[in-house]
Amino acid sequence: MWPFLILYIFWIYYDKAPQNGGRPIKWIRNLRFWRQIASYFPVTIVKEADLDPKQRYLFGYHPHGIISHGALVNFATEGTNFSKIFNGLKLRLLTLESNFRIPLYRDILICLGLASVSLSSCNKILSMKDPTSIVIVVGGAAEALDAHPQTNSLTLRKRKGFIKVALRNGVSLVPVFSFGENDLYTQIPNPKGSKLRKFQDWVCRVAGVSPPAFYGRGVFNYDYGILPKRKQVATVFGKPIKCEKIENPSDEQVNKIQELYIDELMRIYDKYKDVYAPDRKSDLSIKE
C-alpha cells in the first residue's frame, strides 16, 4: 500500500493535465448517472442562439451558487445533452488549481474534463488545434457568500480578467445565467459587517476559497441535510459577443466589452425572470 501511495503522490505532483486542458473520458461524461442527476433538480438548457462548433467561445457562468451544480451538470457531463444541443461543441469547465491537489477528487475532475482556471491554462485550451471553448464561473468564491435563495447578487464589475482573455484570444463571450442555482441550499444569514461575514471574507482573502455556512435537505426529510434541494435550474445561454483579437487591450476596450456583456446578461435575465423566478425576493444586482 505504501509504495502505491508514494507513487500516487508523485503522480499528483508531476501530472500536468489540469494545466494542459484536462483529460476528459467520454464514456464517463456520458454515464446515465449524470442524466439521473440532471433530472433530480431538474437542470435544463435554454438556448438563445446557435453556436458554431468550429469556433471557440468563452462562457461566463452566473451565479456561482454554493457549489455551482448547474455548471457541473451542464458542462462537466452530458446530463443535459449539451453536446447534442450545441452540435458537438467541445469545451472545458475551469476551476481553481487547488482542487487538483485533493487526492482522488482531482482524478474525478480530470476525467470529467475540468481544467485549471489559471491564465496559462485558458490560453492553452483556446489555442488547441481542435477548437475547444472554456467555461469560467466568474463570481468565484466571493460570490458564493451572497448565494441566498430567491436572490441573485453577482460579483462582476471588477472581474475583467476573463474579458481580457477573450480579447487576447479573439474568442466570443457568451453570458450564461442559471435561474435556481442559488435556491439549492439555504445559507445562514451573513450580512456585510457581521462577525460571520468578516470571518468568511478573511478566509476568502487568505485561502482563495469561501466557507459558506449552509444546509440543504436530507434523504428522508426536506428541511435539513447536505443534499441540494430539488429546485429547477434553468440555464439560459445568451447570444455571443464578438471580440476582435487584441494582444494588449486598453482599459477602454475592456470596459466596452464588459458593458456589452452585462447588457446581454441583463437581457436574458429580464426575459426569463418571470418564467423561472416568479417568487424572487429581488431582481438581479451586479456589484464589485
Side-chain angles (χ1 to χ4, degrees):
M1 179 63 75
W2 281 108
F4 172 78
L5 291 176
I6 293 171
L7 287 173
Y8 183 65
I9 290 172
F10 275 106
W11 171 249
I12 291 176
Y13 182 78
Y14 285 105
D15 182 23
K16 301 304 179 183
Q19 295 81 33
N20 292 297
R23 196 164 44 239
I25 298 177
K26 188 175 181 180
W27 71 265
I28 292 181
R29 287 172 52 88
N30 280 281
L31 287 173
R32 181 182 297 179
F33 170 75
W34 303 120
R35 289 190 286 276
Q36 295 172 336
I37 292 293
S39 65
Y40 167 83
F41 296 98
V43 181
T44 57
I45 287 176
V46 179
K47 184 172 70 170
E48 280 278 293
D50 290 326
L51 300 178
D52 185 353
K54 296 180 181 179
Q55 298 296 319
R56 297 171 174 85
Y57 301 91
L58 193 162
F59 296 87
Y61 183 87
H62 312 271
H64 183 284
I66 298 294
I67 302 180
S68 300
H69 285 295
L72 287 167
V73 173
N74 282 308
F75 302 118
T77 80
E78 286 299 322
T80 53
N81 293 314
F82 177 90
S83 294
K84 291 182 180 179
I85 293 173
F86 287 97
N87 302 313
L89 190 147
K90 295 181 176 64
L91 53 72
R92 300 287 189 272
L93 174 60
L94 307 185
T95 186
L96 294 175
E97 195 158 325
S98 58
N99 286 322
F100 297 102
R101 300 191 188 108
I102 304 173
L104 299 181
Y105 177 63
R106 71 179 299 276
D107 299 292
I108 296 173
L109 297 182
I110 291 172
C111 288
L112 292 174
L114 275 79
S116 169
V117 75
S118 68
L119 178 58
S120 60
S121 173
C122 292
N123 291 332
K124 285 180 181 178
I125 296 170
L126 292 174
S127 61
M128 285 180 173
K129 184 177 180 180
D130 191 13
T132 305
S133 301
I134 60 176
V135 184
I136 297 177
V137 184
V138 178
E143 191 173 278
L145 298 177
D146 291 318
H148 294 278
Q150 299 172 299
T151 67
N152 287 289
S153 179
L154 304 186
T155 300
L156 180 56
R157 289 286 178 189
K158 293 183 179 179
R159 301 296 172 103
K160 299 182 180 181
F162 75 106
I163 295 175
K164 293 178 182 178
V165 169
L167 285 167
R168 288 169 180 160
N169 288 276
V171 300
S172 296
L173 282 162
V174 181
V176 181
F177 190 88
S178 273
F179 290 90
E181 182 72 65
N182 284 350
D183 299 335
L184 303 182
Y185 296 97
T186 298
Q187 185 168 187
I188 294 173
N190 57 342
K192 286 284 188 181
S194 65
K195 291 183 179 179
L196 174 59
R197 186 56 175 262
K198 288 180 180 178
F199 170 75
Q200 291 171 324
D201 288 338
W202 176 79
V203 173
C204 193
R205 287 193 303 271
V206 173
V209 296
S210 59
F214 65 93
Y215 59 89
R217 56 161 289 179
V219 177
F220 301 110
N221 76 84
Y222 297 101
D223 300 318
Y224 296 99
I226 61 172
L227 295 177
K229 298 175 183 179
R230 297 191 71 175
K231 301 283 187 178
Q232 181 181 20
V233 178
T235 305
V236 182
F237 289 74
K239 296 177 181 178
I241 299 162
K242 188 175 178 62
C243 295
E244 297 295 338
K245 188 170 184 176
I246 305 173
E247 290 294 337
N248 295 296
S250 64
D251 289 343
E252 183 181 357
Q253 290 167 324
V254 171
N255 291 338
K256 180 181 178 181
I257 295 297
Q258 185 188 48
E259 288 306 314
L260 293 174
Y261 182 91
I262 291 175
D263 287 346
E264 176 61 11
L265 185 62
M266 293 299 300
R267 184 191 69 80
I268 59 176
Y269 176 82
D270 288 336
K271 181 176 179 179
Y272 292 99
K273 64 183 180 182
D274 291 331
V275 178
Y276 298 116
D279 58 348
R280 62 190 181 280
K281 293 179 180 177
S282 61
D283 278 326
L284 176 63
S285 65
I286 296 176
K287 63 174 190 175
E288 297 180 347

